[in-house]
Amino acid sequence: MIQIRDTPLPRAGKAVGIQTVGMTMHFGSFTALDNVSIDIPAGTFHALLGENGAGKSTLVKCIMGFYHQTSGSLSVDGHEVSVQSPKDAATYGLGMVYQQFTLVPSLTGAENLVINRAHVPAIINWAKERKDLATFMERMPFKIPLDRSVSELAAGEKQKLEIVKQLYLGRSFLILDEPTSVLTPAEADEMLGLVRGMTERGELTVLMISHKFHEVTKFADAVTVLRRGKMAGSGLVKDLSTKDMASMMIGDVKLAELDTRLPVPADAKPILVISDIKAPDRTGLKMIDIGNLTVHAGEIVGIAGISGNGQKELAEVLAGQRPPEAGSITVKGLLYGATRQETRINNVRFIPEEPLNNACAPKMTVTENLAFRTFDVKKQGGDALWLDMKSMRKRAASLISDFKVKTASHSSPIASLSGGNVQRAVLARELTGDVDLLIVSNPCFGLDFSAVAEIRARIMRARNSGTAVLLLSEDLDELLEMSDRIMVMSDGKLVYETPALSADIGVIGAHMAGHH
Amino acid sequence: MDEAGIGIWGVPLAIFAGAIRVSTPFIFVSLGESITERSGRINLGLEGTLVFGAMTAYAIAVMSNSPWLGVFAAMATGAVFGLIHGFICKFPKVNDIAIGIAMMQFGLGLAFFLGKPFIQPVAPHLPSIPLGGWSDLPQIQSALNINVLFIIGGLLSVMLWWAFKNTRVGLVLRVVGDSSDAARAMGLNPDSVRLLATAVGGSLAAVGGAYLSLFYPGSWNEGISSGQGLMAVALVIFARWNPIGCFLAALLFGGAGALGPALQSVGVTQGYYLFYAAPYVLTLVILVATSSPTRSLAGAPGALSITK
């Protein structure tokens, strides 16, 4: 099919502006997007705020041509265009950085960049490509090893590579879907600062989906807020306060508040004691080496660190997914090897990162997933031989309503739930019953605001009732808000410890970056 | 006695010659399968394709008196088998492994049915290149009489290894094999790429079959294949989807396979049947030795149904 273009080709490095007029999208009887009109002039930085399910991703998917809007239109630089596919969007210079990575894991960074070009030569001259890439990368502030396969990169590096990829492809309008969720504060500021600089020089127009108000106020020119598919408000960032934006976003819903932090009793018993654990990291080249880590009852110990410094491996060791080569883990004084029996006796619960893959069987139902801790024990104790479907369903129904898990039905596969709801479901399973030790890894990654507030409140409540919590997180704000003590992990080791109350972000950041 | 001329050296020489002779079909089938698997699909039907290719090559060679025409005809039928497999697997909820097993049985049955009249006639053989002219020893001369397909297979493996890294087609294949989502985001249609990759894989597997019927053993009958098509699929995994690895693995497998006959030829009469199992034992030992409980299989295409 010959594509007849109705606008001139975008020039690389020259920003384009876009406009949506009356965008509406129905899925059956459900209205995901209701008459949304936004105007993003060329060379501006626009933020899109909204809760999960508010229609943000529907809107950007319509812009990018993944969905075809029921009604409404899209203009690029004042010309109405019809975008039938992401390929069409690319010809108009529209690009998007997704929250899920679209890089091909087994290819190297360089291969990923080159293969995404519109015109790839039949035979690739790598000597020339490497030289061109090196020249290109000189203009980028990120240092990414382009010769390593993407599967070896840490999440933060992948996210940077995604952005670099779009710039490499010469996009002049970029949609960023929560671009900083895996970056450290300094990295995020640096990256957004660069992007902001490009918009100011008129090289790029940006539409950023975000939940972080401080990013929006610091970097965006204008903001549009969506709520339940409708436009809840918009305006210039300088005219709006954080409070205005928050109230547009959540309407009159009250956010869950953290319980008051009860003081840790002086005689609190140590629950988790890790001593001299050594284990190979995911590359097999380096080791993680945890000298001593103790978590007491009723205390939250936060582990800070840039992704890829061994936090994931530590979590895997504690979950029994990675056998340590040396050292010991004790829980309540008993040696702990993460078997099902040991976790049950000691009431150890685990909320890993990416819970859909690490803590759920994605294709099994919500009910079944909620029963993973209990399906093989009888109510009176002892091993169950037959599944008690009736009580499983009853229990699932009560957990779903207690933890406000939004699901079409109790028998939907858990993979059909949104990220926040999977997280809630796992939380429901893990926090029900007696919990003496809770190991949590990035619990709020990619979740919206009210889900975040609620999940943090649940963890705080567990802490106040005497649970020992080990919180591994890449979000420093989260650690500062939640933890009693913060430890910094860098290069596989715990390098710094501070009480959260007197913590100094600068010092923590310096240790995260490896200056210690 | 001939054997006395080189004595115990007959064993490594026989292994060398056997490695080349036995490995050639493995090379082609595993190279074909590595292309298919790199695209994210497993074609277990290659055993059927191989036997059907052997039959086609033999029949066409008998009729046209040209072995090369036979090879090309086999490639065409192999591609058709691959296309059928790829086409069926395009539909949702179709499992490529189950279809592969069905296609294997279909290929075997059809080859035996159509091949009945060609068991008697004699077909011309594929040529080989005598590289042993420098030696006076007939054993060395015969061991260095290397068939053309082996050389083509060796060149092909290097070419594929290079192409996976340095050509657009190679990168596209790896993208599709590793992540269907990324491929779609790039505007590629994973099903079409896999369809073509399966067709190419099938046509290469059929060349392996043509070698069996037109060179070694060089006749067509129903027992022509001893599971080369299936073992080659395992070889691909063993070789970690690397074409040069496939070539070396096939050689190793062929050499181990020649151990039994070689020992027999120097007069070992006791228990040499045990050495016929050598290739399989070797494969198991190496697979166990190179696997790890903590690392996932390096190089495995992410979209393969066995790694998903």
PDB file of all heavy atoms in Angstrom, chain B residues 237-268:
ATOM      1  N   ILE B 237      20.162 -27.333  20.593  1.00  0.00           N
ATOM      2  CA  ILE B 237      20.120 -26.842  21.975  1.00  0.00           C
ATOM      3  C   ILE B 237      21.500 -27.016  22.606  1.00  0.00           C
ATOM      4  O   ILE B 237      22.027 -26.125  23.266  1.00  0.00           O
ATOM      5  CB  ILE B 237      19.049 -27.608  22.770  1.00  0.00           C
ATOM      6  CG1 ILE B 237      17.682 -27.365  22.132  1.00  0.00           C
ATOM      7  CG2 ILE B 237      19.047 -27.183  24.231  1.00  0.00           C
ATOM      8  CD1 ILE B 237      16.575 -28.196  22.710  1.00  0.00           C
ATOM      9  N   PHE B 238      22.086 -28.184  22.338  1.00  0.00           N
ATOM     10  CA  PHE B 238      23.429 -28.496  22.811  1.00  0.00           C
ATOM     11  C   PHE B 238      24.421 -27.433  22.327  1.00  0.00           C
ATOM     12  O   PHE B 238      25.294 -26.980  23.063  1.00  0.00           O
ATOM     13  CB  PHE B 238      23.767 -29.886  22.256  1.00  0.00           C
ATOM     14  CG  PHE B 238      25.154 -30.350  22.521  1.00  0.00           C
ATOM     15  CD1 PHE B 238      25.709 -30.237  23.784  1.00  0.00           C
ATOM     16  CD2 PHE B 238      25.900 -30.926  21.511  1.00  0.00           C
ATOM     17  CE1 PHE B 238      26.978 -30.699  24.025  1.00  0.00           C
ATOM     18  CE2 PHE B 238      27.173 -31.384  21.755  1.00  0.00           C
ATOM     19  CZ  PHE B 238      27.717 -31.260  23.010  1.00  0.00           C
ATOM     20  N   ALA B 239      24.249 -27.000  21.069  1.00  0.00           N
ATOM     21  CA  ALA B 239      25.159 -26.008  20.485  1.00  0.00           C
ATOM     22  C   ALA B 239      24.747 -24.593  20.823  1.00  0.00           C
ATOM     23  O   ALA B 239      25.319 -23.644  20.301  1.00  0.00           O
ATOM     24  CB  ALA B 239      25.205 -26.182  18.971  1.00  0.00           C
ATOM     25  N   ARG B 240      23.763 -24.441  21.698  1.00  0.00           N
ATOM     26  CA  ARG B 240      23.307 -23.118  22.138  1.00  0.00           C
ATOM     27  C   ARG B 240      22.948 -22.210  20.958  1.00  0.00           C
ATOM     28  O   ARG B 240      23.278 -21.042  20.939  1.00  0.00           O
ATOM     29  CB  ARG B 240      24.364 -22.432  22.993  1.00  0.00           C
ATOM     30  CG  ARG B 240      24.805 -23.216  24.219  1.00  0.00           C
ATOM     31  CD  ARG B 240      23.739 -23.186  25.289  1.00  0.00           C
ATOM     32  NE  ARG B 240      24.203 -23.773  26.538  1.00  0.00           N
ATOM     33  CZ  ARG B 240      23.993 -25.046  26.893  1.00  0.00           C
ATOM     34  NH1 ARG B 240      23.344 -25.863  26.075  1.00  0.00           N
ATOM     35  NH2 ARG B 240      24.409 -25.500  28.056  1.00  0.00           N
ATOM     36  N   TRP B 241      22.287 -22.792  19.964  1.00  0.00           N
ATOM     37  CA  TRP B 241      21.735 -22.028  18.847  1.00  0.00           C
ATOM     38  C   TRP B 241      22.811 -21.293  18.040  1.00  0.00           C
ATOM     39  O   TRP B 241      22.530 -20.342  17.327  1.00  0.00           O
ATOM     40  CB  TRP B 241      20.668 -21.036  19.342  1.00  0.00           C
ATOM     41  CG  TRP B 241      19.497 -21.755  19.914  1.00  0.00           C
ATOM     42  CD1 TRP B 241      18.391 -22.159  19.231  1.00  0.00           C
ATOM     43  CD2 TRP B 241      19.294 -22.175  21.261  1.00  0.00           C
ATOM     44  NE1 TRP B 241      17.544 -22.828  20.069  1.00  0.00           N
ATOM     45  CE2 TRP B 241      18.063 -22.851  21.323  1.00  0.00           C
ATOM     46  CE3 TRP B 241      20.048 -22.073  22.424  1.00  0.00           C
ATOM     47  CZ2 TRP B 241      17.558 -23.409  22.481  1.00  0.00           C
ATOM     48  CZ3 TRP B 241      19.541 -22.632  23.584  1.00  0.00           C
ATOM     49  CH2 TRP B 241      18.308 -23.278  23.608  1.00  0.00           C
ATOM     50  N   ASN B 242      24.036 -21.735  18.160  1.00  0.00           N
ATOM     51  CA  ASN B 242      25.132 -21.117  17.426  1.00  0.00           C
ATOM     52  C   ASN B 242      25.477 -22.010  16.227  1.00  0.00           C
ATOM     53  O   ASN B 242      25.813 -23.174  16.406  1.00  0.00           O
ATOM     54  CB  ASN B 242      26.325 -20.988  18.384  1.00  0.00           C
ATOM     55  CG  ASN B 242      27.551 -20.432  17.699  1.00  0.00           C
ATOM     56  OD1 ASN B 242      27.622 -20.374  16.469  1.00  0.00           O
ATOM     57  ND2 ASN B 242      28.526 -20.038  18.479  1.00  0.00           N
ATOM     58  N   PRO B 243      25.393 -21.487  14.991  1.00  0.00           N
ATOM     59  CA  PRO B 243      25.607 -22.330  13.806  1.00  0.00           C
ATOM     60  C   PRO B 243      26.964 -23.032  13.793  1.00  0.00           C
ATOM     61  O   PRO B 243      27.046 -24.206  13.433  1.00  0.00           O
ATOM     62  CB  PRO B 243      25.498 -21.354  12.642  1.00  0.00           C
ATOM     63  CG  PRO B 243      24.717 -20.224  13.161  1.00  0.00           C
ATOM     64  CD  PRO B 243      25.014 -20.125  14.621  1.00  0.00           C
ATOM     65  N   ILE B 244      28.015 -22.306  14.199  1.00  0.00           N
ATOM     66  CA  ILE B 244      29.321 -22.964  14.225  1.00  0.00           C
ATOM     67  C   ILE B 244      29.328 -24.050  15.286  1.00  0.00           C
ATOM     68  O   ILE B 244      29.885 -25.134  15.094  1.00  0.00           O
ATOM     69  CB  ILE B 244      30.444 -21.935  14.462  1.00  0.00           C
ATOM     70  CG1 ILE B 244      30.535 -21.041  13.222  1.00  0.00           C
ATOM     71  CG2 ILE B 244      31.774 -22.613  14.728  1.00  0.00           C
ATOM     72  CD1 ILE B 244      31.672 -20.066  13.231  1.00  0.00           C
ATOM     73  N   GLY B 245      28.652 -23.757  16.397  1.00  0.00           N
ATOM     74  CA  GLY B 245      28.500 -24.783  17.425  1.00  0.00           C
ATOM     75  C   GLY B 245      27.781 -26.001  16.878  1.00  0.00           C
ATOM     76  O   GLY B 245      28.139 -27.139  17.183  1.00  0.00           O
ATOM     77  N   CYS B 246      26.763 -25.770  16.032  1.00  0.00           N
ATOM     78  CA  CYS B 246      26.016 -26.876  15.423  1.00  0.00           C
ATOM     79  C   CYS B 246      26.956 -27.740  14.592  1.00  0.00           C
ATOM     80  O   CYS B 246      26.905 -28.973  14.648  1.00  0.00           O
ATOM     81  CB  CYS B 246      24.902 -26.358  14.515  1.00  0.00           C
ATOM     82  SG  CYS B 246      23.505 -25.666  15.397  1.00  0.00           S
ATOM     83  N   PHE B 247      27.800 -27.077  13.819  1.00  0.00           N
ATOM     84  CA  PHE B 247      28.743 -27.787  12.965  1.00  0.00           C
ATOM     85  C   PHE B 247      29.668 -28.654  13.813  1.00  0.00           C
ATOM     86  O   PHE B 247      29.859 -29.845  13.561  1.00  0.00           O
ATOM     87  CB  PHE B 247      29.540 -26.763  12.146  1.00  0.00           C
ATOM     88  CG  PHE B 247      30.579 -27.371  11.248  1.00  0.00           C
ATOM     89  CD1 PHE B 247      30.200 -27.990  10.064  1.00  0.00           C
ATOM     90  CD2 PHE B 247      31.916 -27.330  11.579  1.00  0.00           C
ATOM     91  CE1 PHE B 247      31.150 -28.552   9.229  1.00  0.00           C
ATOM     92  CE2 PHE B 247      32.870 -27.893  10.753  1.00  0.00           C
ATOM     93  CZ  PHE B 247      32.480 -28.505   9.571  1.00  0.00           C
ATOM     94  N   LEU B 248      30.234 -28.040  14.879  1.00  0.00           N
ATOM     95  CA  LEU B 248      31.171 -28.779  15.727  1.00  0.00           C
ATOM     96  C   LEU B 248      30.460 -29.902  16.475  1.00  0.00           C
ATOM     97  O   LEU B 248      30.985 -31.008  16.609  1.00  0.00           O
ATOM     98  CB  LEU B 248      31.843 -27.815  16.709  1.00  0.00           C
ATOM     99  CG  LEU B 248      32.736 -26.769  16.045  1.00  0.00           C
ATOM    100  CD1 LEU B 248      33.306 -25.818  17.093  1.00  0.00           C
ATOM    101  CD2 LEU B 248      33.868 -27.436  15.273  1.00  0.00           C
ATOM    102  N   ALA B 249      29.252 -29.601  16.946  1.00  0.00           N
ATOM    103  CA  ALA B 249      28.514 -30.625  17.681  1.00  0.00           C
ATOM    104  C   ALA B 249      28.214 -31.803  16.763  1.00  0.00           C
ATOM    105  O   ALA B 249      28.306 -32.964  17.172  1.00  0.00           O
ATOM    106  CB  ALA B 249      27.218 -30.038  18.237  1.00  0.00           C
ATOM    107  N   ALA B 250      27.863 -31.500  15.499  1.00  0.00           N
ATOM    108  CA  ALA B 250      27.576 -32.570  14.549  1.00  0.00           C
ATOM    109  C   ALA B 250      28.829 -33.409  14.298  1.00  0.00           C
ATOM    110  O   ALA B 250      28.773 -34.637  14.253  1.00  0.00           O
ATOM    111  CB  ALA B 250      27.059 -31.983  13.240  1.00  0.00           C
ATOM    112  N   LEU B 251      29.976 -32.737  14.191  1.00  0.00           N
ATOM    113  CA  LEU B 251      31.242 -33.455  14.005  1.00  0.00           C
ATOM    114  C   LEU B 251      31.546 -34.362  15.196  1.00  0.00           C
ATOM    115  O   LEU B 251      31.900 -35.530  15.046  1.00  0.00           O
ATOM    116  CB  LEU B 251      32.393 -32.461  13.860  1.00  0.00           C
ATOM    117  CG  LEU B 251      32.823 -32.069  12.462  1.00  0.00           C
ATOM    118  CD1 LEU B 251      34.065 -31.197  12.547  1.00  0.00           C
ATOM    119  CD2 LEU B 251      33.110 -33.295  11.610  1.00  0.00           C
ATOM    120  N   LEU B 252      31.385 -33.802  16.372  1.00  0.00           N
ATOM    121  CA  LEU B 252      31.628 -34.553  17.590  1.00  0.00           C
ATOM    122  C   LEU B 252      30.718 -35.778  17.642  1.00  0.00           C
ATOM    123  O   LEU B 252      31.146 -36.891  17.954  1.00  0.00           O
ATOM    124  CB  LEU B 252      31.354 -33.644  18.789  1.00  0.00           C
ATOM    125  CG  LEU B 252      31.722 -34.188  20.167  1.00  0.00           C
ATOM    126  CD1 LEU B 252      33.216 -34.204  20.322  1.00  0.00           C
ATOM    127  CD2 LEU B 252      31.083 -33.329  21.252  1.00  0.00           C
ATOM    128  N   PHE B 253      29.479 -35.532  17.310  1.00  0.00           N
ATOM    129  CA  PHE B 253      28.490 -36.587  17.320  1.00  0.00           C
ATOM    130  C   PHE B 253      28.833 -37.651  16.288  1.00  0.00           C
ATOM    131  O   PHE B 253      28.767 -38.848  16.560  1.00  0.00           O
ATOM    132  CB  PHE B 253      27.134 -35.955  17.010  1.00  0.00           C
ATOM    133  CG  PHE B 253      25.990 -36.703  17.596  1.00  0.00           C
ATOM    134  CD1 PHE B 253      25.729 -36.612  18.951  1.00  0.00           C
ATOM    135  CD2 PHE B 253      25.187 -37.491  16.798  1.00  0.00           C
ATOM    136  CE1 PHE B 253      24.667 -37.300  19.495  1.00  0.00           C
ATOM    137  CE2 PHE B 253      24.129 -38.174  17.343  1.00  0.00           C
ATOM    138  CZ  PHE B 253      23.867 -38.087  18.692  1.00  0.00           C
ATOM    139  N   GLY B 254      29.251 -37.182  15.113  1.00  0.00           N
ATOM    140  CA  GLY B 254      29.620 -38.113  14.063  1.00  0.00           C
ATOM    141  C   GLY B 254      30.856 -38.927  14.452  1.00  0.00           C
ATOM    142  O   GLY B 254      30.915 -40.145  14.267  1.00  0.00           O
ATOM    143  N   GLY B 255      31.844 -38.250  15.047  1.00  0.00           N
ATOM    144  CA  GLY B 255      33.066 -38.920  15.465  1.00  0.00           C
ATOM    145  C   GLY B 255      32.779 -39.971  16.516  1.00  0.00           C
ATOM    146  O   GLY B 255      33.286 -41.105  16.451  1.00  0.00           O
ATOM    147  N   ALA B 256      31.938 -39.594  17.486  1.00  0.00           N
ATOM    148  CA  ALA B 256      31.591 -40.553  18.532  1.00  0.00           C
ATOM    149  C   ALA B 256      30.838 -41.732  17.927  1.00  0.00           C
ATOM    150  O   ALA B 256      31.015 -42.877  18.342  1.00  0.00           O
ATOM    151  CB  ALA B 256      30.751 -39.873  19.610  1.00  0.00           C
ATOM    152  N   GLY B 257      30.035 -41.421  16.907  1.00  0.00           N
ATOM    153  CA  GLY B 257      29.269 -42.483  16.268  1.00  0.00           C
ATOM    154  C   GLY B 257      30.172 -43.448  15.497  1.00  0.00           C
ATOM    155  O   GLY B 257      29.833 -44.617  15.311  1.00  0.00           O
ATOM    156  N   ALA B 258      31.326 -42.950  15.050  1.00  0.00           N
ATOM    157  CA  ALA B 258      32.218 -43.795  14.265  1.00  0.00           C
ATOM    158  C   ALA B 258      33.126 -44.628  15.157  1.00  0.00           C
ATOM    159  O   ALA B 258      33.863 -45.481  14.684  1.00  0.00           O
ATOM    160  CB  ALA B 258      33.067 -42.931  13.336  1.00  0.00           C
ATOM    161  N   LEU B 259      33.083 -44.378  16.457  1.00  0.00           N
ATOM    162  CA  LEU B 259      33.960 -45.075  17.395  1.00  0.00           C
ATOM    163  C   LEU B 259      33.713 -46.586  17.368  1.00  0.00           C
ATOM    164  O   LEU B 259      34.663 -47.375  17.293  1.00  0.00           O
ATOM    165  CB  LEU B 259      33.708 -44.510  18.800  1.00  0.00           C
ATOM    166  CG  LEU B 259      34.700 -44.914  19.892  1.00  0.00           C
ATOM    167  CD1 LEU B 259      36.084 -44.439  19.538  1.00  0.00           C
ATOM    168  CD2 LEU B 259      34.261 -44.316  21.230  1.00  0.00           C
ATOM    169  N   GLY B 260      32.441 -46.973  17.406  1.00  0.00           N
ATOM    170  CA  GLY B 260      32.083 -48.393  17.418  1.00  0.00           C
ATOM    171  C   GLY B 260      32.624 -49.121  16.202  1.00  0.00           C
ATOM    172  O   GLY B 260      33.424 -50.074  16.333  1.00  0.00           O
ATOM    173  N   PRO B 261      32.246 -48.687  14.990  1.00  0.00           N
ATOM    174  CA  PRO B 261      32.735 -49.357  13.784  1.00  0.00           C
ATOM    175  C   PRO B 261      34.260 -49.346  13.684  1.00  0.00           C
ATOM    176  O   PRO B 261      34.854 -50.335  13.244  1.00  0.00           O
ATOM    177  CB  PRO B 261      32.128 -48.525  12.653  1.00  0.00           C
ATOM    178  CG  PRO B 261      30.965 -47.833  13.261  1.00  0.00           C
ATOM    179  CD  PRO B 261      31.259 -47.649  14.686  1.00  0.00           C
ATOM    180  N   ALA B 262      34.886 -48.240  14.160  1.00  0.00           N
ATOM    181  CA  ALA B 262      36.341 -48.147  14.055  1.00  0.00           C
ATOM    182  C   ALA B 262      37.007 -49.198  14.919  1.00  0.00           C
ATOM    183  O   ALA B 262      37.951 -49.869  14.501  1.00  0.00           O
ATOM    184  CB  ALA B 262      36.809 -46.757  14.453  1.00  0.00           C
ATOM    185  N   LEU B 263      36.524 -49.343  16.136  1.00  0.00           N
ATOM    186  CA  LEU B 263      37.096 -50.345  17.027  1.00  0.00           C
ATOM    187  C   LEU B 263      36.882 -51.743  16.460  1.00  0.00           C
ATOM    188  O   LEU B 263      37.763 -52.604  16.522  1.00  0.00           O
ATOM    189  CB  LEU B 263      36.464 -50.224  18.417  1.00  0.00           C
ATOM    190  CG  LEU B 263      36.944 -49.027  19.231  1.00  0.00           C
ATOM    191  CD1 LEU B 263      36.159 -48.924  20.522  1.00  0.00           C
ATOM    192  CD2 LEU B 263      38.430 -49.146  19.529  1.00  0.00           C
ATOM    193  N   GLN B 264      35.709 -51.930  15.879  1.00  0.00           N
ATOM    194  CA  GLN B 264      35.391 -53.224  15.287  1.00  0.00           C
ATOM    195  C   GLN B 264      36.392 -53.546  14.180  1.00  0.00           C
ATOM    196  O   GLN B 264      36.868 -54.663  14.053  1.00  0.00           O
ATOM    197  CB  GLN B 264      33.979 -53.171  14.733  1.00  0.00           C
ATOM    198  CG  GLN B 264      33.392 -54.518  14.396  1.00  0.00           C
ATOM    199  CD  GLN B 264      32.041 -54.355  13.743  1.00  0.00           C
ATOM    200  OE1 GLN B 264      31.580 -53.231  13.534  1.00  0.00           O
ATOM    201  NE2 GLN B 264      31.398 -55.456  13.426  1.00  0.00           N
ATOM    202  N   SER B 265      36.756 -52.501  13.402  1.00  0.00           N
ATOM    203  CA  SER B 265      37.610 -52.735  12.246  1.00  0.00           C
ATOM    204  C   SER B 265      39.041 -53.083  12.649  1.00  0.00           C
ATOM    205  O   SER B 265      39.753 -53.706  11.901  1.00  0.00           O
ATOM    206  CB  SER B 265      37.618 -51.505  11.332  1.00  0.00           C
ATOM    207  OG  SER B 265      38.353 -50.476  11.936  1.00  0.00           O
ATOM    208  N   VAL B 266      39.483 -52.650  13.849  1.00  0.00           N
ATOM    209  CA  VAL B 266      40.837 -53.033  14.255  1.00  0.00           C
ATOM    210  C   VAL B 266      40.830 -54.299  15.093  1.00  0.00           C
ATOM    211  O   VAL B 266      41.841 -54.661  15.684  1.00  0.00           O
ATOM    212  CB  VAL B 266      41.579 -51.918  15.018  1.00  0.00           C
ATOM    213  CG1 VAL B 266      41.821 -50.737  14.124  1.00  0.00           C
ATOM    214  CG2 VAL B 266      40.839 -51.544  16.294  1.00  0.00           C
ATOM    215  N   GLY B 267      39.677 -54.947  15.168  1.00  0.00           N
ATOM    216  CA  GLY B 267      39.674 -56.263  15.758  1.00  0.00           C
ATOM    217  C   GLY B 267      39.153 -56.346  17.170  1.00  0.00           C
ATOM    218  O   GLY B 267      39.265 -57.376  17.817  1.00  0.00           O
ATOM    219  N   VAL B 268      38.610 -55.243  17.693  1.00  0.00           N
ATOM    220  CA  VAL B 268      37.965 -55.344  18.996  1.00  0.00           C
ATOM    221  C   VAL B 268      36.634 -56.054  18.779  1.00  0.00           C
ATOM    222  O   VAL B 268      35.779 -55.556  18.054  1.00  0.00           O
ATOM    223  CB  VAL B 268      37.737 -53.949  19.616  1.00  0.00           C
ATOM    224  CG1 VAL B 268      36.975 -54.061  20.918  1.00  0.00           C
ATOM    225  CG2 VAL B 268      39.073 -53.265  19.828  1.00  0.00           C
TER     226      VAL B 268
END
